[in-house]
Each structure stands twice: as C-alpha cells, then as structure tokens.
Amino acid sequence: MKNTAMQSPTSWAFLRRLQFLESSQWFQGLVIFIIVLSALMIGAKTYDIPPMAEQALWVLDWAVTVFFLIELCLRFAVCENKKRFFFDGWNVFDTLVVMGSLVPLENADAVLVGRLLRVFRVLRLVSVVPELRFLINSLLKAIPRMGYIALLMFIIFYIYAAIGSLMFQNINPVLWDDVSISMLTLFRIATFEDWTDVMYETMAVYPISWLYYLTFIFLTAFVFLNMMVGTILEVMSAEQNSKDVAQAHKEREDMADKIAVMKTQLDVIESLLKNKR
C-alpha cells in the first residue's frame, strides 16, 4: 500500500477499476472459457480440416495468445508489490506459457516447439481455478513423504524380483530371466494386467507359488496404495486447516482495522462536540 499511497487520485481510481475487473467473477469465467477454447483448438489441429478452417484456427490462436498476454499484463498491473509478482510459482508458470505461445509458427524449425508450448496453455486452467491450485500444491507438498513410501515399495519390488528370478527363471525366462525383467513382470502383476496367467504358469511347477503373488499384491495394491492416499489426504487436511487459520487471522485483522477506524471517527466526533460547547 505504500506505492499506491503516493499515486495521484486519478491513477489510484484507475488501478482500483483494474483490480475490480481482474477479480470479477465474469472476467475469471472469461479466462476459463478462453483456456477451454484453446484446448479445443489444439485438439482440432490434430484432424484433417479444410484450409479455410485451418486459417480460422490460425487467427483464433493468435487472438487467444493476445488475450493471455493482456490478462497477464493486467494481473501484473494490479499487483500491489510488483517485485514479488514472480515469487509466486503460478505467475512464473503463466508467464512462461504466455511467452512460449509467442513463438511464431511460420518458422519451420520452431513449429514443433511452438505447438508443444501451446499445448501447455491447457495447464493454465490449473493456475486459474483456486481449487485445482489447492490440489496441486497439496500434491507437491506430499511428494517428500510419498518418496519414502516409494523407496519402501522399491525395496519390496527388488526382494520379490530377486526371489522370482531365482525360483521361476527356468519356467519362463522371458518374464523372470533377471532382476530387472522380474521387476517389470511384478509391475505388470501390480497393475493386474493378466497376472493370473503368470501365476497359473508357475503354479504348474510350484503349486504353492500362489502365496508369492497374493502376498505381493496385498503389499503393493492394498497397503502401499492406501499409504499413498492417506499421505495425500493428510497433507490436504493440513493445508486446509492452515488456509482456514490464515483466513480467520485475516478476518480478525480486518475487524481490528475497522474498529480502529471507527474509534478514530468517534474521537473526531467527540472533539467536534467539545469544541461546539
């Protein structure tokens, strides 16, 4: 607020109008509509379309790019602390996507790069919708904890792969020749991709080998998967609680500011009444 306090009343009023425009519900809806339109345009370009429709898509593509550029400039203009605008990862992501969309597609060497960067414009939907941002932020914060679960899963995969390679290599070398191939086979089993065929093949030689598969599936598909889900839910719950606490703190600060303003006004009125006496 220090920067805005030094501005002229006209520029301050203009900035307030821009802030109202940028935060308005209809403008956010328009941004979401343009992002969805951009996604549909990207999908349409993968089909064989008439030259006239292709030309229309080219014009619409640049219109969408200009709109995104204007929207990004508007967000930068209404930001009170412009030095910290790029401290927000979502602002950096949006800037990179918009700048990448400015790559001209007429240059043959840049056609593929430009089209790939335009595909990422669909991800701007995540940065625009607060609920999606909340989910992505929670997922990113859960990754360190999920990493330890993934490490434990790798250890279990490795142990079972080594056992499988030692026991079943002579039965089917294509599936159990070494540890690395055995781990791929176990990944197939963990995804339930025709895993019963693999099990029945080894059961013909080792009838009790069903125990090997069932224990592996129990650990990977039930225990570790639920641990992953539980970790994500725990982080999301903690994020929601911190968000609620921050909102409550902000509301208390706003209430304290209003009370301070009211107290100042009462003091002024009281001083005016004393002067009249």
Side-chain angles (χ1 to χ4, degrees), residues 175 188 193-203 213:
L175 298 179
R188 168 185 170 180
E193 180 64 27
D194 295 332
W195 71 276
T196 54
D197 296 338
V198 181
M199 181 181 67
Y200 291 144
E201 184 181 36
T202 59
M203 284 181 63
Y213 297 97

Side-chain angles (χ1 to χ4, degrees), residues 60 134 179 257:
L60 280 175
F134 173 76
V179 172
D257 292 339

Side-chain angles (χ1 to χ4, degrees), residues 234-253:
E234 182 182 356
V235 172
M236 289 180 63
S237 178
E239 282 293 299
Q240 186 62 44
N241 291 336
S242 63
K243 184 179 179 182
D244 294 339
V245 170
Q247 181 66 25
H249 183 68
K250 184 177 182 301
E251 290 177 356
R252 286 197 297 269
E253 287 184 344

Side-chain angles (χ1 to χ4, degrees), residues 46-266:
T46 61
Y47 295 92
D48 293 329
I49 56 178
M52 186 175 295
E54 188 175 353
Q55 187 68 21
L57 286 177
W58 183 86
V59 175
L60 280 175
D61 181 80
W62 278 107
V64 169
T65 301
V66 172
F67 175 83
F68 284 153
L69 182 61
I70 294 174
E71 186 261 343
L72 182 65
C73 293
L74 177 62
R75 283 165 52 191
F76 182 76
V78 301
C79 182
E80 295 180 355
N81 191 349
K82 293 179 173 53
K83 292 182 178 180
R84 299 191 60 84
F85 180 80
F86 293 105
F87 281 82
D88 189 342
W90 292 111
N91 291 336
V92 175
F93 172 77
D94 290 342
T95 303
L96 292 176
V97 171
V98 173
M99 293 297 105
S101 299
L102 297 176
V103 175
L105 296 183
E106 288 79 6
N107 187 351
D109 296 332
V111 169
L112 181 59
V113 176
R115 287 178 177 174
L116 289 175
L117 290 173
R118 279 164 169 77
V119 170
F120 284 101
R121 291 196 304 204
V122 182
L123 285 175
R124 286 213 59 209
L125 193 62
V126 177
S127 65
V128 172
V129 181
E131 288 77 10
L132 294 180
R133 286 204 307 267
F134 173 76
L135 292 177
I136 295 298
N137 289 332
S138 300
L139 181 60
L140 292 176
K141 291 185 178 181
I143 286 178
R145 298 186 186 180
M146 292 169 62
Y148 291 105
I149 301 176
L151 179 60
L152 183 58
M153 285 183 65
F154 174 80
I155 295 172
I156 297 299
F157 263 80
Y158 189 85
I159 292 173
Y160 272 82
I163 296 174
S165 180
L166 293 173
M167 292 181 60
F168 310 137
Q169 184 179 23
N170 296 329
I171 299 175
N172 191 342
V174 175
L175 298 179
W176 307 100
D177 188 46
D178 53 40
V179 172
S180 58
I181 294 177
S182 298
M183 290 183 72
L184 290 176
T185 303
L186 289 175
F187 184 79
R188 168 185 170 180
I189 295 171
T191 57
F192 300 105
E193 180 64 27
D194 295 332
W195 71 276
T196 54
D197 296 338
V198 181
M199 181 181 67
Y200 291 144
E201 184 181 36
T202 59
M203 284 181 63
V205 179
Y206 301 104
I208 202 173
S209 63
W210 60 267
L211 189 62
Y212 170 86
Y213 297 97
L214 293 186
T215 55
F216 175 76
I217 290 175
F218 176 78
L219 288 174
T220 57
F222 299 116
V223 176
F224 291 124
L225 180 61
N226 288 329
M227 288 174 66
M228 287 282 191
V229 174
T231 299
I232 295 174
L233 291 177
E234 182 182 356
V235 172
M236 289 180 63
S237 178
E239 282 293 299
Q240 186 62 44
N241 291 336
S242 63
K243 184 179 179 182
D244 294 339
V245 170
Q247 181 66 25
H249 183 68
K250 184 177 182 301
E251 290 177 356
R252 286 197 297 269
E253 287 184 344
D254 293 340
M255 185 63 68
D257 292 339
K258 291 179 181 179
I259 293 174
V261 171
M262 292 176 61
K263 186 176 182 304
T264 303
Q265 292 175 348
L266 289 174

